Amino acid sequence: MWVSVLTSLVFLAGALALDCNGHSELCDRKYSNVSFIGAHNSPFVGILPSDNQLEDVEDQLNQGVRFLTAQTHDKDGAIQLCHTSCALLDVGTLQDFLGTVKTWLDGNSNEVVTLLITNGDAIDINKFGDAFKAVGLDAYAYSPGDTLTIDDWPTLGTLVSSNKRVVVFMDYHADTSKVGYILDEFQYYFETPFDTTDKNFPQCDLDRPSGASADGRMYIVNHNLDVDIFGILIPDLAEAPNTNSLSSILAQSDLCINNYRKDPNVVLLDFVSIGDGIEAQDNLNGL
Ligand SMILES: *[C@@H]1O[C@H](CO)[C@@H](O)[C@H](O)[C@H]1NC(C)=O
């Protein structure tokens, strides 16, 4: 009998052991010390020159991608997911995208997902808050209260156990006094240059916010390649197997580590379903 009680206890302990983004090792790591592979322009799915991904957002999440960027534009007062302009590519409302993320988080209770939303049209931040509320995603959104230093971030385990499993950033026009969980991207991160056409990704310079210090910031590496077609830059699908290979991602990461003495927090990829993105993520996290 005691053996069976013991067996049950061991079983119970195993079942209760927390897993964070698929790895118990990540539970004790601060959010600011975790590396994520990101899907650049995650909702722009297809094979048009204005598309950046081949598989939809739910598939990206199922694949293990936990950092999604989404570009928004104002379309007659609605927040729409459009690439550069809604005349070029319009894939629907931000609210539908947020609903997809909410549904996925409902079904995957040990996962922390980050959204980086761009707001080039300076749409009122309260409207973004309304879209989160309409699908119930605001309930999952992590709100730090005060501005965090890089060492203040909670661990993934804390985010999972408190059920604050979506972290939200916006590039421009965030205002945490109005919507506390939509954080100012460039207060917390810097980014390397984007729209490169050099498939060797030969540098890891700080591009935005220009003139800022790398110290105290997390950082995002734009490891997505464009090809120049008569002066128009489009995502280079043909090169994606090379761009998204473990060796290409780690080669640029090594340049970054050399500059900043720490691993990238985010490596953004186009066509994330091609190549070794998740293997690179595990590698960067030392798993
Ligand atoms: C996390 O911390 C370890 C140990 O200091 C460091 O080697 C690694 O680069 C850090 N990763 C990130 C993304 O900050």
Side-chain angles (χ1 to χ4, degrees):
M1 166 180 174
W2 291 110
V3 171
S4 88
V5 168
L6 209 64
T7 312
S8 315
L9 283 176
V10 167
F11 177 78
L12 201 65
L16 291 176
L18 199 58
D19 220 13
C20 299
N21 288 13
H23 300 278
S24 57
E25 301 92 320
L26 293 179
C27 290
D28 292 335
R29 297 262 292 267
K30 286 179 181 172
Y31 176 85
S32 52
N33 183 235
V34 177
S35 298
F36 297 99
I37 287 294
H40 174 235
N41 283 338
S42 61
F44 299 154
V45 178
I47 53 163
L48 297 173
S50 50
D51 289 320
N52 299 82
Q53 301 296 334
L54 294 177
E55 297 194 2
D56 67 23
V57 167
E58 191 186 347
D59 289 334
Q60 293 165 25
L61 290 166
N62 287 337
Q63 188 198 336
V65 177
R66 296 289 174 269
F67 191 105
L68 307 173
T69 82
Q71 186 180 127
T72 70
H73 288 278
D74 181 316
K75 187 182 184 189
D76 306 323
I79 310 178
Q80 205 80 3
L81 301 169
C82 299
H83 202 167
T84 314
S85 87
C86 292
L88 178 65
L89 182 71
D90 174 353
V91 301
T93 63
L94 174 72
Q95 189 172 313
D96 282 350
F97 167 78
L98 297 178
T100 300
V101 174
K102 163 70 165 59
T103 302
W104 192 87
L105 287 171
D106 288 342
N108 294 274
S109 55
N110 288 355
E111 304 297 316
V112 176
V113 171
T114 303
L115 306 179
L116 170 55
I117 299 169
T118 73
N119 183 16
D121 291 349
I123 302 168
D124 179 2
I125 196 69
N126 288 313
K127 284 194 174 181
F128 285 90
D130 292 344
F132 275 81
K133 271 187 221 133
V135 298
L137 190 55
D138 58 324
Y140 282 138
Y142 170 65
S143 184
D146 290 320
T147 303
L148 302 175
T149 71
I150 194 163
D151 294 323
D152 289 340
W153 282 87
T155 61
L156 288 197
T158 300
L159 292 170
V160 167
S161 56
S162 60
N163 214 17
K164 295 299 177 190
R165 297 185 292 111
V166 65
V167 184
V168 185
F169 295 95
M170 179 173 279
D171 63 344
Y172 301 110
H173 314 293
D175 182 348
T176 48
S177 74
K178 292 182 176 149
V179 181
Y181 52 82
I182 302 184
L183 310 178
D184 175 355
E185 178 198 358
F186 292 114
Q187 190 161 32
Y188 291 101
Y189 290 99
F190 70 86
E191 284 197 29
T192 67
F194 59 92
D195 279 348
T196 186
T197 54
D198 185 339
K199 62 182 171 189
N200 295 316
F201 296 93
Q203 48 90 347
C204 187
D205 295 344
L206 186 161
D207 181 46
R208 293 183 296 166
S210 73
S213 165
D215 289 342
R217 285 189 165 83
M218 301 184 280
Y219 70 102
I220 298 172
V221 178
N222 285 295
H223 192 84
N224 50 299
L225 186 68
D226 281 354
V227 57
D228 188 332
I229 309 276
F230 303 116
I232 297 173
L233 294 177
I234 68 166
D236 195 338
L237 177 55
E239 271 295 321
N242 296 324
T243 305
N244 296 355
S245 68
L246 188 63
S247 61
S248 177
I249 295 169
L250 294 186
Q252 192 181 17
S253 297
D254 281 345
L255 297 174
C256 300
I257 293 163
N258 202 39
N259 285 1
Y260 308 114
R261 303 284 153 207
K262 59 180 181 180
D263 288 285
N265 294 86
V266 184
V267 178
L268 290 183
L269 302 180
D270 282 333
F271 313 116
V272 71
S273 55
I274 295 179
D276 310 319
I278 298 306
E279 209 181 327
Q281 178 172 271
D282 288 347
N283 189 302
L284 292 170
N285 282 321
L287 298 171

